[in-house]
Amino acid sequence: MYNAKAYAVASAASPFARTTIQRRDPTPHDVQLEILFCGICHSDLHQARNEWSGMPTVYPCVPGHEIVGRVTKVGSAVTRFKAGDLAGVGCLVDSDGTCPECQSHHEQFCPNAVYTYNAPDRHTGKVTYGGYSDSIVVDERFVLRVPANLSLAGVAPLLCAGITTWSPLRRQGVTKGRKVGVVGLGGLGHMGVKFARALGAHVVVFTTSPAKVEDALRLGAHEVVVSRNAKEMSKHAGSFDMILDTVSAVHDLHAYLHLLRRDGNLTLVGAPDEPHAVSAFGLIFGNKSLSGSLIGGIQPTQEMLDFCGEHGITADVEVIPIQKVDEAYERLLRSDVKYRFSIDMASLKSA
Ligand code: NAP
Ligand code: ZN
């Protein structure tokens, strides 16, 4: 074991504080990374503040699952990475590799999946600690190759916000000629816009923030609707093939089901703890479907990163020092993020 620097919360109400955590020395199958950037996902906030009743937080909690860094050491059996390579780690750090979910590249649903933070760590007997840290040790199977042509601060958010929006867009067959809506222009939403646009769709953003209209167009939307304006919303009734909903709080889903065409799909990726209200009538008139989507497996994550490399896609980031993580969380709660916070981990050296 060795000591790593990290930022942790000690309880749901505590601010972040500098701490020291123990990481394992790399086993033969492990890759050790020096973390260069870590994105801030709204899930980090939900988890740090113990907002998910189904996934109680174990404290101290070190969040962070949008990790990009440089390989510092590899175990003797590692074949795909060597010291000095750039690499990424997302929401998963382990799974059994043998179950039907792993065999079909859905490691996130493996009964033995291990999440990057707040999950039982079979190596240490404690919980896993995430990317708000100067280093991490991860099994090679969960380490991603990072395209060399992309800015690293903007690559980090691809490891969660990227794959979480890429997966449902691909599953729904989004392509040229489809009309796709993206609800909520935050970290996930702005990646959804970039991907839907790159896949050839006609993209409409729904935002509660009138000040984001220009940015939405710049990010790739063809049209922007301020969702609090009922008249603007009704213009799109019955017209969408798919709507991707990234909103982190409970809101009215019927406003969006109403905008789907026959057989259209509304996919939820936003994860508030409280239930949404859904009337059967909103779905049965028009054979509509409502579905959900959880991050994505390792192979699709690599495909998404390779697609980003080919198309020059990264997240639009505000780079912050780790000392500003509490302030960043407060801004997330005010929907004031443009459009992902990416922590420059060099700031942890002086902390
Ligand atoms: P974020 O950056 O905070 O963006 C959320 C956006 O939703 C806000 O910027 C805002 O956009 C909109 N919004 C917020 N509160 C709202 C409200 N009360 N009513 C309507 N719109 C509201 O968050 P994120 O990191 O993208 O994450 C979004 C959600 O996805 C979180 O719940 C997170 O836990 C979840 N998540 C799920 C997965 C998965 O695998 N399914 C993976 C990662 C994250 P506007 O200003 O444009 O309205
Ligand atoms: Zn996330």
Side-chain angles (χ1 to χ4, degrees):
M1 301 285 254
Y2 71 97
N3 287 337
K5 283 187 184 180
Y7 254 50
V9 280
S11 75
S14 311
F16 276 89
R18 155 102 166 70
T19 189
T20 300
I21 54 170
Q22 296 240 291
R23 301 279 195 196
R24 68 179 182 269
D25 293 314
T27 71
H29 297 280
D30 283 337
V31 173
Q32 183 189 47
L33 293 185
E34 177 197 359
I35 300 175
L36 299 175
F37 292 95
C38 184
I40 296 182
C41 180
H42 205 113
S43 300
D44 299 353
L45 186 157
H46 289 308
Q47 195 82 76
R49 299 189 176 179
N50 201 12
E51 289 177 354
W52 284 335
S53 47
M55 272 183 264
T57 306
V58 178
Y59 295 100
C61 172
V62 178
H65 56 206
E66 295 187 333
I67 299 167
V68 68
R70 197 171 286 285
V71 176
T72 42
K73 211 186 265 182
V74 297
S76 55
V78 169
T79 56
R80 292 166 43 245
F81 295 92
K82 58 178 187 328
D85 287 350
L86 293 175
V89 176
C91 303
L92 297 163
V93 288
D94 207 356
S95 71
D96 60 35
T98 54
C99 73
E101 300 294 2
C102 289
Q103 297 287 308
S104 67
H105 307 294
H106 293 89
E107 292 88 349
Q108 72 272 37
F109 301 124
C110 168
N112 297 302
V114 179
Y115 287 85
T116 304
Y117 60 82
N118 199 53
D121 185 332
R122 67 185 171 87
H123 297 271
T124 63
K126 296 185 178 172
V127 290
T128 51
Y129 296 126
Y132 297 8
S133 173
D134 58 359
S135 80
I136 193 164
V137 177
V138 179
D139 187 296
E140 174 183 30
R141 293 181 297 126
F142 291 85
V143 183
L144 285 304
R145 289 185 309 280
V146 169
N149 58 321
L150 302 177
S151 117
L152 289 184
V155 166
L158 302 177
L159 276 304
C160 175
I163 184 60
T164 301
T165 49
W166 172 259
S167 285
L169 293 171
R170 298 291 286 165
R171 191 177 310 121
Q172 291 298 325
V174 166
T175 184
K176 197 167 162 37
R178 299 289 171 93
K179 185 172 174 184
V180 173
V182 177
V183 188
L185 197 66
L188 267 55
H190 95 291
M191 289 312 308
V193 171
K194 290 187 184 208
F195 287 142
R197 176 74 191 234
L199 292 167
H202 182 85
V203 184
V204 181
V205 163
F206 295 93
T207 180
T208 58
S209 310
K212 293 182 183 173
V213 170
E214 263 178 46
D215 282 347
L217 295 169
R218 177 180 56 77
L219 290 163
H222 295 90
E223 298 176 65
V224 188
V225 174
V226 176
S227 52
R228 297 208 161 109
N229 182 329
K231 206 166 145 205
E232 269 192 68
M233 292 286 280
S234 66
K235 281 189 202 153
H236 291 271
S239 68
F240 282 89
D241 295 288
M242 181 202 181
I243 299 178
L244 180 64
D245 188 328
T246 75
V247 173
S248 50
V250 168
H251 57 287
D252 175 21
L253 298 188
H254 284 274
Y256 297 102
L257 290 172
H258 179 65
L259 305 188
L260 295 175
R261 64 164 70 214
R262 175 171 55 77
D263 291 325
N265 168 267
L266 173 62
T267 298
L268 304 182
V269 287
D273 199 44
E274 306 74 30
H276 289 295
V278 181
S279 151
F281 285 94
L283 293 165
I284 61 184
F285 277 87
N287 300 351
K288 294 169 184 178
S289 69
L290 172 64
S291 53
S293 192
L294 180 69
I295 49 174
I298 297 301
Q299 188 188 77
T301 303
Q302 191 63 61
E303 284 165 10
M304 176 275 308
L305 286 168
D306 295 345
F307 181 89
C308 288
E310 280 157 34
H311 291 80
I313 295 175
T314 52
D316 280 33
V317 289
E318 270 188 69
V319 176
I320 58 161
I322 197 154
Q323 292 80 0
K324 291 210 165 164
V325 61
D326 291 307
E327 190 183 316
Y329 277 28
E330 291 313 309
R331 286 185 52 197
L332 277 187
L333 288 175
R334 296 197 301 267
S335 300
D336 175 23
V337 48
K338 293 191 164 68
Y339 278 86
R340 197 60 144 184
F341 293 108
S342 186
I343 306 168
D344 182 352
M345 222 44 81
S347 59
L348 188 52
K349 290 201 167 77
S350 56

